[in-house]
């Protein structure tokens, strides 16, 4: 039996037990057999959660790009590494082979070097989902520069904050981006941001939309002419296991964004191993994750995890609604996608459009479906299962975080029986614990608590850039000797985990803790409901009461809203109990969402509380325009 590739439930349990009994030995075997090391480690693991400090494979030397590219050249040089599908379906897809990728990454790395970028320097990447994004990430890793990718939907303010926090020397951007039938002036946003970024020396500009943009003399440089001149060979920088690989910002519940720092060897081993198992990747499969590389999902499961396994990974530049809501399914058919990994929010958006966009595409290549980023409600799960997977493709509901680097709780497809809305079982090496409010671990099954992890895993973030104290306070101070995820979870009668949502989203009504996710699930069961969000608002007697924002499906029929309100509360009463009934229901056209599709409850909470004087920064929302509409309806 190989630990590396789990094929059935019995194997999963064997591997899991081994990973917990002797973690060092377990990870050592995986690291030994499947990667290219310039020097072997002296010690597998060194850790102390009180500092906190975690080191994996100390003493080892490697370069992650040699693992993601060079070592595949002999066996799969002509295999497609990155399959680029453009925004416009009329434009041809690009098949970038491992041989091509090797040359393009090396050229890019040489360009970075020629502009003075060295090991340890921070490079901000602000690009749309075009090949240069993946290539520039890998080029940084090739020379040991630390990449900080900022999602190209963030505003100039958000970009400037991130550049300044990690003192980046360079920005890599493009002359603009395509998004559906629109273009976005990325370079203009960069110019605006850079007015307050003193550490930036150069801006490399890729050409994508042929926009007529301003180039600041001495600072801004077109990328292509530099690439044309650059050599195709670039010696990989030999990195220490714990050398930083990248910074990725994630928003905290308070304060400025946290620059999560990930390091080299542990991140590589863990993302590769999880990718292989969670997607059961086979040599000729075509894998597609619809995330943006600006998020952790894209880092770990578009770039590093798939390439470390020699996979073909799809990069899609566009949006699910352009030219119509069938775009995802058209791409699945066109490239014969085998594994499809997306977000619940996308599934719900597509489900709302009905089946006409699905039924005219051949989805028979699909073997495995995945979701990530938020709890998936039961209705969306079944829609995905019935209409996309045709009940033959297991759905892997993968729970993890920017901070965890890789997938932590997930079914292993074809091994772990799935259960709607459950992320199911911990991945090998992951030791979850549910904690009560007093700080004790809750043992046994059919229990609920705060989700912690009690033992280090290789891909955990090592610190918050420039603020180790905040790292300690946020993740290691709530529960002694444990990493606190900030999520609540329950463990069912067989030990399956279900993530109930952020603990900060728990609402206490008359002394009862209510998770927003299960109530939303119940509301979404109503046939007229497309999506919903629950927040708490102050109530004289109960402490908090529940306020529901509900989007109705657009079926063209008129409805008696009072009846729908009653029916929703009836469903909630049936599924959870009268305690979870909503005091107020506001029918609305949209919900404020972050760029990663999460509902911004902070704003909804304020509106529900009629406290709209300071809604905070709404510029990083996906759809800031909906906020005023919600306020107008509420008042
Ligand atoms: O609350 C959990 C939720 O997303 C949070 C992490 O968000 P982020 O760092 O942006 O990373 C998202 C992509 C990995 C978690 O704390 N979350 C993520 N996956 C799931 C989830 N909630 C429920 N089920 C999931 N599968």
């Amino acid at each position: 039996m190989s630990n590396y590739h789990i094929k059935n439930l019995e194997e999963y349990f064997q591997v899991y037990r081994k990973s917990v009994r002797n973690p060092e030995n377990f990870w050592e075997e995986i690291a030994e057999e499947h990667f290219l090391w310039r020097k072997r480690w002296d010690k597998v693991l060194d850790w102390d959660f009180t500092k906190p400090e975690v080191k994996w494979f100390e003493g080892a030397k490697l370069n992650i790009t040699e693992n993601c590219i060079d070592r595949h050249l002999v066996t799969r040089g002509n295999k497609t590494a990155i399959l680029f599908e453009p925004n416009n379906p009329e434009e041809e897809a690009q098949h970038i082979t491992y041989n091509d990728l090797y040359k393009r990454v090396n050229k890019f790395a040489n360009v970075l070097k020629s502009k003075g970028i060295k090991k340890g320097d921070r490079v901000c990447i602000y690009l749309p989902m075009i090949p240069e994004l993946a290539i520039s990430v890998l080029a940084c890793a090739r020379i040991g520069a630390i990449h900080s990718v900022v999602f190209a939907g963030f505003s100039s303010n958000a970009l400037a904050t991130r550049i300044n926090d990690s003192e980046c020397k360079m920005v890599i951007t493009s002359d603009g981006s395509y998004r559906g039938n629109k273009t976005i002036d990325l370079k203009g946003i960069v110019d605006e941001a850079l007015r307050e970024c003193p550490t930036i020396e150069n801006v490399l500009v890729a050409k994508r939309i042929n926009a007529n943009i301003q180039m600041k003399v001495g600072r801004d440089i077109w990328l292509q002419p530099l690439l044309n001149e650059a050599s195709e060979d670039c010696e990989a920088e030999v990195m220490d296991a714990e050398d930083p690989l990248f910074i990725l910002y994630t928003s905290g519940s308070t304060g400025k964004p946290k620059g999560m720092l990930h390091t080299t060897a542990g991140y590589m081993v863990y993302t590769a191993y999880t990718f292989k198992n969670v997607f059961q990747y086979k040599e000729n499969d075509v894998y597609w994750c619809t995330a943006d590389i600006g998020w952790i999902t894209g880092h770990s499961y578009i770039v590093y995890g798939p390439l470390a396994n020699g996979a073909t990974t799809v990069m899609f530049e566009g949006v699910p609604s352009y030219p119509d809501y069938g775009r995802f399914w058209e791409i699945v058919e066109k490239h014969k996608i085998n594994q499809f990994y997306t977000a619940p929010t996308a599934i719900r958006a597509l489900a709302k459009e009905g089946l006409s966009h699905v039924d005219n595409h051949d989805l028979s290549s699909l073997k495995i479906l995945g979701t990530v980023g938020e709890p998936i409600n039961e209705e969306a799960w079944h829609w995905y299962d019935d209409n996309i997977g045709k009940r033959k493709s297991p759905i892997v509901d993968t729970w993890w975080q920017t901070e965890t680097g890789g997938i932590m709780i997930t079914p292993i497809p074809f091994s772990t029986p799935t259960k709607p809305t459950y992320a199911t079982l911990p991945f090998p090496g992951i030791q979850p614990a549910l904690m009560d409010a007093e700080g004790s671990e809750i043992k046994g099954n059919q229990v609920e608590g705060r989700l912690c992890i009690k033992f280090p895993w290789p891909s955990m973030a090592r610190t918050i850039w420039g603020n180790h104290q905040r790292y300690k306070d946020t993740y290691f101070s709530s529960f002694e000797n444990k990493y606190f995820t900030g999520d609540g979870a329950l463990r069912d009668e067989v030990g399956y985990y279900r993530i109930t949502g952020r603990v900060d989203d728990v609402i206490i009504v008359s002394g009862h803790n209510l998770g927003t996710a299960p109530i939303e699930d119940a509301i979404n069961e109503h046939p007229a409901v497309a999506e919903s969000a629950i927040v708490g608002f102050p109530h004289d007697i109960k402490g908090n009461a529940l306020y529901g924002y509900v989007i109705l499906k657009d079926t063209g029929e008129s409805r008696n809203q009072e009846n729908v309100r009653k029916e929703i509360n009836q469903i909630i009463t049936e599924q959870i109990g009268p305690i979870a009934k909503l005091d107020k229901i506001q029918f609305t056209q949209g919900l404020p969402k972050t760029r990663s599709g999460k509902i911004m409850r902070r704003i909804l909470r304020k509106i529900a509380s009629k406290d709209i004087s300071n809604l905070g920064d709404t510029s990083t929302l996906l759809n800031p325009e909906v906020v005023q509409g919600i306020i107008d309806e509420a008042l």
Side-chain angles (χ1 to χ4, degrees):
M1 182 189 82
S2 154
N3 287 339
Y4 194 68
H5 191 185
I6 298 163
K7 295 187 208 62
N8 55 54
L9 193 59
E10 197 185 326
E11 260 185 36
Y12 161 78
F13 282 118
Q14 276 177 26
V15 171
Y16 185 77
R17 273 195 295 272
K18 184 169 165 186
S19 78
V20 172
R21 275 196 204 126
N22 193 342
E24 279 92 339
N25 186 262
F26 172 77
W27 287 112
E28 178 156 66
E29 270 180 39
I30 288 173
E32 233 159 30
E33 284 173 33
H34 300 278
F35 300 92
L36 187 70
W37 302 94
R38 291 288 193 103
K39 176 183 170 286
R40 195 189 158 85
W41 48 92
D42 304 316
K43 195 171 180 199
V44 180
L45 172 64
D46 206 0
W47 68 291
D48 178 352
F49 275 179
T50 63
K51 287 187 177 165
E53 190 175 84
V54 173
K55 291 179 181 165
W56 284 92
F57 307 111
E58 231 189 328
K61 299 213 179 272
L62 74 155
N63 186 289
I64 196 169
T65 67
E66 289 188 328
N67 282 274
C68 288
I69 307 169
D70 305 38
R71 71 180 166 131
H72 304 309
L73 297 181
V74 177
T75 50
R76 21 176 116 89
N78 291 322
K79 175 177 175 174
T80 301
I82 295 176
L83 204 176
F84 171 65
E85 174 64 32
N87 174 69
N88 180 352
E90 308 289 311
E91 191 182 324
E92 232 177 274
Q94 281 180 43
H95 290 255
I96 302 168
T97 65
Y98 277 93
N99 284 329
D100 299 334
L101 189 63
Y102 175 81
K103 292 178 196 153
R104 290 181 68 173
V105 167
N106 283 344
K107 277 176 167 280
F108 208 125
N110 284 324
V111 167
L112 295 178
K113 285 211 274 195
S114 75
K115 293 295 151 202
I117 301 297
K118 303 177 302 298
K119 178 177 175 183
D121 287 343
R122 276 79 61 204
V123 173
C124 174
I125 302 176
Y126 187 73
L127 279 171
M129 279 286 282
I130 56 177
E132 285 79 359
L133 174 50
I135 290 166
S136 59
V137 158
L138 293 162
C140 287
R142 186 87 179 164
I143 63 168
I146 305 171
H147 55 79
S148 168
V149 183
V150 176
F151 174 63
F154 274 122
S155 67
S156 58
N157 268 336
L159 175 62
T161 307
R162 287 159 175 76
I163 290 173
N164 288 333
D165 183 70
S166 47
E167 298 175 297
C168 296
K169 264 174 91 169
M170 174 186 270
V171 180
I172 302 170
T173 190
S174 67
D175 61 346
S177 64
Y178 293 117
R179 198 177 158 76
N181 56 14
K182 290 191 299 224
T183 56
I184 296 166
D185 176 19
L186 286 191
K187 177 63 167 51
I189 297 170
V190 170
D191 288 342
E192 185 68 33
L194 292 193
R195 287 188 198 186
E196 20 176 331
C197 298
T199 56
I200 295 296
E201 293 170 9
N202 286 122
V203 180
L204 294 185
V205 187
K207 213 174 221 153
R208 176 58 182 141
I209 67 170
N210 289 314
N212 190 7
I213 56 164
Q214 302 267 312
M215 296 290 277
K216 187 169 170 186
V217 179
R219 185 193 72 182
D220 303 350
I221 313 160
W222 286 107
L223 178 64
Q224 197 57 49
L226 296 178
L227 288 172
N228 293 345
E229 298 299 309
S231 155
E232 288 176 359
D233 293 302
C234 176
E235 188 61 31
E237 184 80 27
V238 178
M239 305 291 284
D240 287 340
E242 284 295 337
D243 275 339
L245 177 63
F246 66 87
I247 298 167
L248 185 61
Y249 286 89
T250 187
S251 39
S253 42
T254 54
K256 63 177 182 176
K258 298 172 288 193
M260 304 313 306
L261 183 79
H262 285 279
T263 58
T264 305
Y267 177 82
M268 171 184 79
V269 169
Y270 194 79
T271 53
Y273 180 49
T274 46
F275 173 77
K276 179 76 183 172
N277 284 291
V278 174
F279 299 103
Q280 292 287 309
Y281 186 82
K282 308 260 163 34
E283 185 60 38
N284 295 315
D285 288 347
V286 181
Y287 160 89
W288 180 20
C289 166
T290 70
D292 192 290
I293 293 175
W295 308 116
I296 191 69
T297 307
H299 282 59
S300 301
Y301 299 110
I302 295 177
V303 182
Y304 289 113
L307 297 177
N309 282 284
T312 297
T313 175
V314 173
M315 267 183 86
F316 175 45
E317 182 186 30
V319 293
S321 55
Y322 177 80
D324 62 41
Y325 283 93
R327 190 70 206 281
F328 273 6
W329 319 127
E330 181 221 320
I331 295 172
V332 168
E333 177 173 4
K334 176 175 170 190
H335 296 302
K336 299 195 172 40
I337 302 294
N338 302 113
Q339 292 90 355
F340 177 74
Y341 190 30
T342 195
T345 188
I347 298 168
R348 287 193 295 267
L350 294 172
K352 193 174 157 210
E353 297 303 316
L355 288 176
S356 59
H357 297 291
V358 179
D359 289 344
N360 55 347
H361 293 290
D362 176 5
L363 306 182
S364 60
S365 58
L366 288 172
K367 295 194 286 193
I368 291 163
L369 303 178
T371 72
V372 59
E374 54 179 318
I376 181 164
N377 53 299
E378 200 148 353
E379 193 183 359
W381 195 99
H382 283 296
W383 186 87
Y384 200 28
D385 188 38
D386 292 347
N387 301 300
I388 307 305
K390 321 281 186 203
R391 298 195 186 178
K392 67 171 176 55
S393 306
I395 297 175
V396 289
D397 176 352
T398 63
W399 173 83
W400 58 296
Q401 311 177 296
T402 304
E403 295 86 337
T404 70
I407 294 169
M408 304 283 281
I409 302 183
T410 178
I412 306 280
F414 307 110
S415 297
T416 320
T418 58
K419 177 173 177 181
T421 76
Y422 281 74
T424 74
L425 296 170
F427 194 77
I430 303 308
Q431 302 187 32
L434 296 181
M435 310 298 291
D436 67 20
E438 281 72 52
S440 306
E441 184 171 351
I442 312 167
K443 302 272 176 139
N445 288 342
Q446 287 191 292
V447 292
E448 184 165 359
R450 281 145 209 250
L451 180 61
C452 288
I453 312 291
K454 14 184 204 189
F455 195 84
W457 64 100
S459 66
M460 62 191 292
R462 303 298 196 257
T463 191
I464 293 174
W465 182 263
N467 197 344
H468 197 65
Q469 186 61 41
R470 188 176 180 198
Y471 175 70
K472 180 175 178 171
D473 293 345
T474 310
Y475 304 107
F476 295 89
S477 301
S478 306
F479 300 98
E480 205 183 339
N481 227 11
K482 290 181 181 65
Y483 166 83
F484 176 43
T485 66
D487 281 325
L490 60 82
R491 196 161 50 220
D492 77 358
E493 62 286 354
V494 300
Y496 274 16
Y497 288 86
R498 177 191 214 245
I499 310 304
T500 49
R502 300 296 303 187
V503 183
D504 18 24
D505 289 337
V506 167
I507 305 162
I508 303 179
V509 179
S510 303
H512 296 272
N513 282 18
L514 296 173
T516 51
I519 305 173
E520 288 161 4
D521 277 357
I523 299 172
N524 296 348
E525 297 283 309
H526 190 290
V529 172
E531 197 173 4
S532 61
I534 304 296
V535 294
F537 73 104
H539 186 279
D540 282 351
I541 298 165
K542 303 178 185 178
N544 287 301
L546 297 179
Y547 191 115
Y549 294 87
V550 174
I551 304 179
L552 294 177
K553 284 181 186 151
D554 186 11
T555 55
E557 298 160 17
S558 71
R559 286 193 198 87
N560 179 325
Q561 296 200 337
E562 241 357 270
N563 286 348
V564 179
R565 283 197 175 89
K566 280 190 200 136
E567 287 156 11
I568 285 175
N569 266 331
Q570 202 182 334
I571 296 177
I572 294 173
T573 307
E574 280 164 15
Q575 299 215 353
I576 299 156
I579 184 69
K581 278 205 318 202
L582 308 184
D583 273 41
K584 288 199 181 148
I585 297 178
Q586 175 177 337
F587 294 109
T588 188
Q589 299 299 317
L591 293 169
K593 299 227 170 124
T594 65
R595 305 273 178 182
S596 57
K598 276 197 261 302
I599 296 166
M600 269 286 238
R601 287 171 212 283
R602 184 174 55 75
I603 291 172
L604 294 177
R605 253 184 242 125
K606 290 213 165 212
I607 299 173
S609 316
K610 302 224 180 321
D611 170 22
I612 53 167
S613 53
N614 179 17
L615 289 180
D617 181 16
T618 54
S619 73
T620 57
L621 288 178
L622 183 66
N623 51 355
E625 71 284 358
V626 305
V627 175
Q628 192 56 46
I630 300 173
I631 295 171
D632 294 344
E633 294 154 0
L635 298 179

